[in-house]
Amino acid sequence: MNKVIASSISKKFIMALAGLFLILFLPVHLIINLMLLGSDPEPFNKAAHFMATFPLVRIVEIILIAAILIHISWGLFLQIQNWLARPVGYVSGSKTQTSFFSKFMIWTGASILTFLIIHFFNFYFIKLGLVRGDPENFYSVAHQLFKVPAYHFIYLVCFALLGLHLFHAFTSAFQTIGLNHRIWTPVIKIFAWIYAIALPLGFAFISITLWQFR
Protein backbone atom coordinates (compact mmCIF):
# COMPACT_ATOMS: atom_id res chain seq x y z
CA MET A 1 0.00 0.00 0.00
CA ASN A 2 2.86 2.38 0.84
CA LYS A 3 4.36 1.76 -2.60
CA VAL A 4 1.02 2.52 -4.26
CA ILE A 5 0.68 5.78 -2.30
CA ALA A 6 4.27 6.79 -3.06
CA SER A 7 3.78 6.00 -6.74
CA SER A 8 0.57 8.05 -6.83
CA ILE A 9 2.25 11.03 -5.15
CA SER A 10 5.23 10.92 -7.49
CA LYS A 11 2.91 10.77 -10.52
CA LYS A 12 0.94 13.75 -9.21
CA PHE A 13 4.18 15.67 -8.69
CA ILE A 14 5.51 15.03 -12.21
CA MET A 15 2.04 15.63 -13.65
CA ALA A 16 1.95 18.99 -11.84
CA LEU A 17 5.35 19.99 -13.26
CA ALA A 18 4.20 19.01 -16.76
CA GLY A 19 1.01 21.03 -16.27
CA LEU A 20 2.94 24.12 -15.12
CA PHE A 21 5.17 23.85 -18.21
CA LEU A 22 2.07 23.79 -20.41
CA ILE A 23 0.65 26.79 -18.51
CA LEU A 24 3.82 28.74 -19.31
CA PHE A 25 3.57 27.81 -23.00
CA LEU A 26 -0.02 28.97 -23.55
CA PRO A 27 0.66 32.75 -23.28
CA VAL A 28 3.42 32.38 -25.90
CA HIS A 29 0.97 30.61 -28.19
CA LEU A 30 -1.60 33.37 -27.62
CA ILE A 31 0.89 36.14 -28.44
CA ILE A 32 1.80 34.44 -31.72
CA ASN A 33 -1.88 33.86 -32.58
CA LEU A 34 -2.65 37.56 -32.06
CA MET A 35 -0.62 38.17 -35.23
CA LEU A 36 -3.50 36.53 -37.11
CA LEU A 37 -5.53 39.69 -36.51
CA GLY A 38 -3.23 41.71 -38.77
CA SER A 39 -3.97 42.14 -42.46
CA ASP A 40 -0.40 41.25 -43.38
CA PRO A 41 0.22 37.47 -43.27
CA GLU A 42 4.00 37.80 -43.24
CA PRO A 43 4.57 38.38 -39.46
CA PHE A 44 2.54 35.32 -38.47
CA ASN A 45 4.02 33.13 -41.19
CA LYS A 46 7.54 34.21 -40.20
CA ALA A 47 6.81 33.42 -36.55
CA ALA A 48 5.36 30.03 -37.51
CA HIS A 49 8.39 29.31 -39.70
CA PHE A 50 10.75 30.27 -36.87
CA MET A 51 8.86 28.03 -34.42
CA ALA A 52 9.07 25.17 -36.91
CA THR A 53 12.76 25.45 -37.81
CA PHE A 54 14.78 27.00 -34.95
CA PRO A 55 16.70 24.14 -33.23
CA LEU A 56 16.07 25.30 -29.66
CA VAL A 57 12.35 25.64 -30.36
CA ARG A 58 12.33 22.14 -31.84
CA ILE A 59 13.81 20.82 -28.58
CA VAL A 60 11.19 22.71 -26.56
CA GLU A 61 8.56 21.28 -28.92
CA ILE A 62 9.63 17.73 -28.04
CA ILE A 63 9.51 18.60 -24.33
CA LEU A 64 6.07 20.15 -24.85
CA ILE A 65 4.66 17.06 -26.56
CA ALA A 66 6.18 14.88 -23.83
CA ALA A 67 4.59 17.13 -21.19
CA ILE A 68 1.21 16.83 -22.90
CA LEU A 69 1.46 13.03 -23.06
CA ILE A 70 2.61 12.76 -19.43
CA HIS A 71 -0.06 15.15 -18.19
CA ILE A 72 -2.86 13.36 -20.05
CA SER A 73 -1.80 9.76 -19.46
CA TRP A 74 -1.02 10.14 -15.76
CA GLY A 75 -4.11 12.28 -15.28
CA LEU A 76 -6.23 9.45 -16.70
CA PHE A 77 -4.34 6.89 -14.60
CA LEU A 78 -4.88 8.82 -11.37
CA GLN A 79 -8.56 9.45 -12.15
CA ILE A 80 -9.19 5.76 -12.87
CA GLN A 81 -7.29 4.90 -9.70
CA ASN A 82 -9.57 7.25 -7.74
CA TRP A 83 -12.68 5.73 -9.31
CA LEU A 84 -11.54 2.22 -8.42
CA ALA A 85 -10.68 3.26 -4.86
CA ARG A 86 -14.07 4.93 -4.35
CA PRO A 87 -16.61 3.24 -6.63
CA VAL A 88 -19.57 4.67 -4.71
CA GLY A 89 -19.97 8.43 -4.68
CA TYR A 90 -20.63 10.48 -1.55
CA VAL A 91 -24.24 10.26 -0.41
CA SER A 92 -24.20 13.45 1.61
CA GLY A 93 -21.96 16.25 2.70
CA SER A 94 -21.16 19.71 1.50
CA LYS A 95 -19.40 20.27 -1.77
CA THR A 96 -16.73 22.93 -1.86
CA GLN A 97 -15.71 25.04 -4.83
CA THR A 98 -12.51 23.05 -5.13
CA SER A 99 -14.36 19.73 -5.19
CA PHE A 100 -16.57 21.05 -8.01
CA PHE A 101 -13.57 21.84 -10.23
CA SER A 102 -11.82 18.63 -9.20
CA LYS A 103 -14.89 16.56 -10.01
CA PHE A 104 -15.03 17.74 -13.61
CA MET A 105 -11.28 17.88 -14.32
CA ILE A 106 -11.37 14.57 -16.21
CA TRP A 107 -14.16 15.82 -18.50
CA THR A 108 -12.67 19.24 -19.17
CA GLY A 109 -9.37 17.47 -19.81
CA ALA A 110 -11.08 15.11 -22.27
CA SER A 111 -12.53 18.07 -24.19
CA ILE A 112 -9.09 19.68 -24.36
CA LEU A 113 -7.61 16.42 -25.64
CA THR A 114 -10.29 16.31 -28.36
CA PHE A 115 -9.41 19.87 -29.38
CA LEU A 116 -5.69 19.07 -29.40
CA ILE A 117 -6.27 16.17 -31.78
CA ILE A 118 -8.22 18.47 -34.14
CA HIS A 119 -5.60 21.21 -33.76
CA PHE A 120 -2.69 18.85 -34.45
CA PHE A 121 -4.48 17.46 -37.49
CA ASN A 122 -5.07 20.95 -38.92
CA PHE A 123 -1.65 22.44 -38.18
CA TYR A 124 1.08 20.23 -36.73
CA PHE A 125 0.48 17.34 -39.15
CA ILE A 126 0.67 19.76 -42.09
CA LYS A 127 4.11 20.80 -40.87
CA LEU A 128 5.13 17.12 -40.69
CA GLY A 129 3.77 16.51 -44.20
CA LEU A 130 1.16 14.02 -42.99
CA VAL A 131 -1.76 16.21 -44.08
CA ARG A 132 -2.11 18.31 -47.23
CA GLY A 133 -1.53 22.03 -46.75
CA ASP A 134 1.02 24.80 -47.08
CA PRO A 135 3.31 24.86 -44.01
CA GLU A 136 4.69 28.22 -45.15
CA ASN A 137 1.26 29.87 -45.10
CA PHE A 138 -0.41 28.91 -41.83
CA TYR A 139 -1.97 32.39 -41.81
CA SER A 140 -4.30 31.37 -44.64
CA VAL A 141 -4.89 27.95 -43.10
CA ALA A 142 -6.00 29.54 -39.82
CA HIS A 143 -8.22 32.13 -41.51
CA GLN A 144 -9.93 29.45 -43.59
CA LEU A 145 -10.54 27.26 -40.54
CA PHE A 146 -12.08 30.05 -38.47
CA LYS A 147 -14.53 30.72 -41.31
CA VAL A 148 -15.99 27.24 -40.68
CA PRO A 149 -18.81 27.68 -38.11
CA ALA A 150 -18.37 24.20 -36.61
CA TYR A 151 -14.64 24.74 -36.00
CA HIS A 152 -15.30 28.20 -34.56
CA PHE A 153 -17.89 26.97 -32.05
CA ILE A 154 -15.85 23.91 -31.06
CA TYR A 155 -12.92 26.28 -30.50
CA LEU A 156 -14.98 28.53 -28.22
CA VAL A 157 -16.47 25.68 -26.20
CA CYS A 158 -13.09 24.00 -25.74
CA PHE A 159 -11.45 27.21 -24.54
CA ALA A 160 -14.30 27.88 -22.12
CA LEU A 161 -13.73 24.40 -20.67
CA LEU A 162 -9.98 25.08 -20.73
CA GLY A 163 -10.61 28.03 -18.40
CA LEU A 164 -12.29 25.72 -15.86
CA HIS A 165 -9.46 23.24 -16.23
CA LEU A 166 -6.76 25.88 -15.85
CA PHE A 167 -8.10 27.33 -12.62
CA HIS A 168 -8.06 24.04 -10.73
CA ALA A 169 -4.87 22.86 -12.46
CA PHE A 170 -3.05 26.07 -11.54
CA THR A 171 -3.95 25.97 -7.84
CA SER A 172 -3.61 22.21 -7.37
CA ALA A 173 -0.23 22.11 -9.16
CA PHE A 174 1.29 24.57 -6.68
CA GLN A 175 -0.17 22.58 -3.77
CA THR A 176 1.23 19.35 -5.18
CA ILE A 177 4.78 20.70 -5.41
CA GLY A 178 4.52 21.94 -1.82
CA LEU A 179 3.83 25.67 -2.29
CA ASN A 180 0.88 25.79 0.10
CA HIS A 181 1.02 28.85 2.36
CA ARG A 182 -1.58 30.88 4.24
CA ILE A 183 -0.39 34.09 2.54
CA TRP A 184 0.69 32.93 -0.90
CA THR A 185 -2.08 30.39 -1.57
CA PRO A 186 -4.82 33.10 -1.76
CA VAL A 187 -2.55 35.14 -4.05
CA ILE A 188 -2.04 32.10 -6.30
CA LYS A 189 -5.82 31.57 -6.42
CA ILE A 190 -6.40 35.18 -7.49
CA PHE A 191 -3.73 34.88 -10.17
CA ALA A 192 -5.26 31.53 -11.25
CA TRP A 193 -8.66 33.19 -11.70
CA ILE A 194 -7.12 36.01 -13.76
CA TYR A 195 -5.13 33.55 -15.88
CA ALA A 196 -8.05 31.12 -16.34
CA ILE A 197 -10.34 33.94 -17.53
CA ALA A 198 -7.95 36.17 -19.51
CA LEU A 199 -6.24 33.44 -21.53
CA PRO A 200 -9.38 31.76 -22.94
CA LEU A 201 -10.88 35.21 -23.60
CA GLY A 202 -7.79 36.10 -25.62
CA PHE A 203 -8.12 33.02 -27.81
CA ALA A 204 -11.90 33.53 -28.07
CA PHE A 205 -11.37 37.14 -29.18
CA ILE A 206 -9.14 35.93 -32.02
CA SER A 207 -11.67 33.30 -33.08
CA ILE A 208 -14.65 35.69 -33.03
CA THR A 209 -12.72 38.43 -34.85
CA LEU A 210 -11.55 36.11 -37.64
CA TRP A 211 -15.02 34.55 -37.99
CA GLN A 212 -16.94 37.82 -38.11
CA PHE A 213 -14.61 40.51 -39.44
CA ARG A 214 -11.85 38.92 -41.54
Side-chain angles (χ1 to χ4, degrees):
M1 180 61 70
N2 289 336
K3 289 182 178 180
V4 171
I5 294 173
S7 176
S8 177
I9 292 173
S10 64
K11 283 182 171 61
K12 286 182 179 179
F13 186 83
I14 297 175
M15 181 183 166
L17 292 179
L20 288 173
F21 179 78
L22 296 174
I23 285 172
L24 291 174
F25 168 76
L26 284 172
V28 177
H29 194 44
L30 175 60
I31 291 170
I32 294 174
N33 278 14
L34 286 171
M35 296 179 186
L36 289 169
L37 299 178
S39 57
D40 183 7
E42 188 174 355
F44 180 81
N45 285 334
K46 281 186 175 180
H49 179 79
F50 174 81
M51 297 292 287
T53 57
F54 190 66
L56 182 59
V57 176
R58 298 296 298 275
I59 294 172
V60 173
E61 182 181 85
I62 295 171
I63 297 173
L64 177 65
I65 293 174
I68 292 172
L69 293 175
I70 290 171
H71 192 73
I72 291 173
S73 60
W74 285 5
L76 288 172
F77 174 83
L78 291 170
Q79 183 61 60
I80 293 171
Q81 191 177 62
N82 289 337
W83 282 338
L84 293 175
R86 193 178 62 214
V88 179
Y90 292 118
V91 176
S92 61
S94 62
K95 294 182 180 180
T96 64
Q97 186 182 43
T98 301
S99 65
F100 168 81
F101 286 107
S102 180
K103 180 180 179 180
F104 291 100
M105 280 292 280
I106 185 66
W107 307 115
T108 56
S111 69
I112 295 167
L113 174 60
T114 302
F115 173 76
L116 281 174
I117 293 171
I118 297 172
H119 192 65
F120 270 53
F121 187 86
N122 288 316
F123 290 96
Y124 190 70
F125 289 170
I126 290 177
K127 186 183 77 170
L128 297 180
L130 301 176
V131 175
R132 290 181 61 185
D134 185 1
E136 297 299 324
N137 194 10
F138 277 128
Y139 179 92
S140 295
V141 173
H143 275 250
Q144 290 170 9
L145 279 173
F146 283 114
K147 290 295 184 182
V148 179
Y151 184 87
H152 167 71
F153 287 113
I154 290 173
Y155 193 91
L156 293 181
V157 170
C158 285
F159 271 94
L161 294 173
L162 175 65
L164 297 176
H165 193 85
L166 284 174
F167 172 74
H168 180 72
F170 203 101
T171 53
S172 63
F174 279 100
Q175 291 178 356
T176 300
I177 63 178
L179 296 178
N180 194 6
H181 191 270
R182 63 183 181 84
I183 296 176
W184 290 110
T185 296
V187 175
I188 290 171
K189 285 187 177 181
I190 293 172
F191 189 80
W193 271 119
I194 296 172
Y195 184 92
I197 293 173
L199 196 91
L201 280 179
F203 282 104
F205 175 75
I206 295 170
S207 179
I208 293 169
T209 301
L210 295 184
W211 183 50
Q212 290 290 335
F213 306 109
R214 291 291 189 269

